[in-house]
Amino acid sequence: MGKGHFPIDRLKGIETPFYWYDTDVLRRTLEAINAEAGKHEGFVVHYAVKANANPKLLRIIRAAGLGADCVSGGEIEAAVKAGFPHDRIVYAGVGKSDWEINLGLDNDIFCFNVESIPELEVINQLAGERGKVARVAFRLNPNVGAHTHANITTGLAENKFGIAMRDMISVIEEAAKMENVKFVGLHFHIGSQILDMGDFEALCNRINELQGILDNHRIRVEHINVGGGLGVDYEHPNRLPIPDFKAYFDTYAKKLKLRPGQTLHFELGRAVVAQCGSLITRTLYIKEGAVKKFAIVDAGFTDLIRPALYQAYHKIENISSDEPAEAYDVVGPICESTDVFAKQVDLNKAHRGDLMAIRSAGAYGEIMASQYNCRKLPKGYLSDE
Ligand SMILES: *Cc1c(COP(=O)(O)O)cnc(C)c1O
């Protein structure tokens, strides 16, 4: 499948820049997740809403049977609106405010993933005021590194996330004393864009150790939640549009020793939606600089911030041209030097008006858009609407 799969005539009629979502890719991705996770007893997959909360995508993901992993009250609202059942919604986050906790309580969500004792106390109090018992899991910091960009590791002792492992038993004992919380699970999340299954294996080993300690204390845990983090192939979105879910779920099935009746929860974000989305942008000018050629496009880091924020690579295709490739710096219009999508990439010879597709942009793209420079937020369009 080459770049020819973009319906160029239709795209030409839409105001740029915008996100284009290929629902065929999304559906095939969801089928692969269900097929591979479905091979293992007790595996439950949630979608991490923060990767992309486009309501139309959420509805497709919900229809495929995934739960929702939320990190804010706004995401809980988006998940409820998209029809995710309340008992499939989990809520994590290092700084939950009172209204967000109350929203979770009012919606009787499946679980709060709790990151500190002060937070647990507040949940207990707010649940008490409502005459409810909140189900809680503790997010532990497993001190497992991930071979990914330093800004997106979350499971190291130095990161702000989670509760230190040495405090595990004492927080569980604290929770047992409280009337309006029920401890049901352990939660982990070691980072994002992880392609080395060895990192997930290291997490499994850590969880096995921790479960051994729980056994010694005769503490039963209903579920283990290992978070998300599976990466995608940003280099080859055409050749490898579906992440290797088989390797991912098989790693957990092989390495993590679940106790009888325990369920294993996953919270995949990027791996679900990254490859179905492209940011479509129009070429405004070709500028011959002193040393190189610039393709100045009408999208900027306000539309897709990943290159500026994490030096992330996104494949770019000139979908309007078949002429032989030339090297360009592809840059946006925003008044910041970091507003660069790629440096010295080969693109089919570009002209004013050509549409460029910035690929693998379905995750952490549209949802991170801002209005800096008083720019409009990009819209999202689905291929099958
Ligand atoms: C961000 C996040 C995820 C999803 O991460 P991906 O790398 O997109 O799969 C899952 N769980 C938690 C708690 C997160 O913060």
Side-chain angles (χ1 to χ4, degrees):
M1 197 161 52
K3 66 190 165 88
H5 64 282
F6 285 100
I8 187 82
D9 287 332
R10 187 173 162 202
L11 300 187
K12 269 186 196 160
I14 304 174
E15 187 188 350
T16 52
F18 62 91
Y19 278 89
W20 177 254
Y21 298 108
D22 185 332
T23 49
D24 179 53
V25 171
L26 177 59
R27 290 204 166 86
R28 285 193 289 132
T29 304
L30 291 164
E31 280 163 20
I33 290 171
N34 282 332
E36 294 303 333
K39 288 179 185 162
H40 308 291
E41 169 120 14
F43 281 26
V44 180
V45 184
H46 302 262
Y47 167 63
V49 174
K50 76 172 193 271
N52 191 324
N54 182 303
K56 291 176 262 183
L57 295 185
L58 287 183
R59 263 177 239 124
I60 294 173
I61 294 165
R62 187 259 299 149
L66 276 64
D69 161 47
C70 303
V71 293
S72 72
E75 287 188 1
I76 296 174
E77 282 168 346
V80 169
K81 213 164 164 190
F84 285 91
H86 66 95
D87 58 356
R88 302 293 306 270
I89 296 176
V90 297
Y91 176 26
V94 70
K96 301 177 184 74
S97 56
D98 292 16
W99 77 266
E100 294 176 305
I101 294 169
N102 282 331
L103 186 69
L105 291 167
D106 290 342
N107 281 289
D108 294 318
I109 62 169
F110 175 71
C111 190
F112 290 85
N113 293 332
V114 171
E115 306 214 8
S116 68
I117 289 282
E119 180 194 331
L120 183 70
E121 286 165 352
V122 171
I123 293 174
N124 184 52
Q125 183 205 328
L126 295 175
E129 287 168 10
R130 282 168 160 64
K132 294 196 172 187
V133 176
R135 293 164 51 84
V136 300
F138 288 114
R139 177 170 181 172
L140 297 178
N141 185 324
N143 196 19
V144 169
H147 296 92
T148 185
H149 191 277
N151 290 5
I152 51 177
T153 69
T154 55
L156 287 173
E158 68 200 60
N159 295 129
K160 70 178 175 183
F161 300 99
I163 294 168
M165 286 177 287
R166 59 157 198 273
D167 298 333
M168 175 177 74
I169 298 298
S170 65
V171 295
I172 293 171
E173 286 170 353
E174 251 344 276
K177 290 184 214 147
M178 297 183 187
E179 272 183 22
N180 298 95
V181 294
K182 178 169 190 246
F183 166 68
V184 293
L186 294 181
H187 178 232
F188 305 85
H189 176 66
I190 57 172
S192 204
Q193 185 51 21
I194 297 168
L195 291 166
D196 181 347
M197 294 303 126
D199 291 340
F200 297 122
E201 239 182 272
L203 175 61
C204 290
N205 293 338
R206 180 67 85 205
I207 295 171
N208 291 339
E209 267 173 48
L210 294 169
Q211 290 240 73
I213 297 170
L214 293 179
D215 288 346
N216 293 341
H217 285 78
R218 297 179 187 286
I219 296 169
R220 277 269 315 156
V221 180
E222 175 187 295
H223 76 266
I224 303 284
N225 181 332
V226 290
L230 178 63
V232 303
D233 192 334
Y234 283 98
E235 311 267 339
H236 305 107
N238 293 321
R239 191 146 52 78
L240 295 166
I242 314 278
D244 192 351
F245 294 112
K246 178 173 168 45
Y248 176 72
F249 290 117
D250 285 357
T251 298
Y252 281 101
K254 224 177 276 159
K255 300 291 171 184
L256 190 66
K257 299 194 189 88
L258 288 178
R259 302 297 184 259
Q262 249 177 6
T263 51
L264 182 59
H265 294 231
F266 300 85
E267 303 169 332
L268 293 171
R270 187 189 311 272
V272 181
V273 289
Q275 296 292 31
C276 75
S278 295
L279 176 61
I280 307 295
T281 179
R282 201 174 298 269
T283 308
L284 296 172
Y285 305 103
I286 303 299
K287 178 162 111 172
E288 304 274 352
V291 290
K292 47 183 163 177
K293 210 183 285 190
F294 294 95
I296 301 169
V297 297
D298 65 0
F301 73 47
T302 51
D303 306 293
L304 175 64
I305 200 173
R306 298 188 67 257
L309 192 60
Y310 315 119
Q311 294 78 49
Y313 171 81
H314 285 265
K315 184 180 174 70
I316 303 178
E317 292 170 337
N318 180 353
I319 57 175
S320 292
S321 166
D322 286 323
E323 292 174 55
E326 295 183 5
Y328 298 89
D329 278 17
V330 181
V331 303
I334 295 162
C335 303
E336 300 278 347
S337 303
T338 52
D339 191 27
V340 175
F341 288 113
K343 289 189 171 166
Q344 293 303 290
V345 286
D346 287 333
L347 299 175
N348 292 354
K349 186 175 168 63
H351 311 271
R352 173 173 166 80
D354 282 359
L355 291 185
M356 305 269 184
I358 304 180
R359 304 295 308 279
S360 314
Y364 308 107
E366 184 181 358
I367 193 70
M368 288 180 115
S370 77
Q371 292 190 296
Y372 181 48
N373 284 193
C374 290
R375 286 169 57 81
K376 284 189 212 163
L377 291 174
K379 291 200 175 107
Y381 298 88
L382 274 59
S383 60
D384 70 354
E385 58 182 3

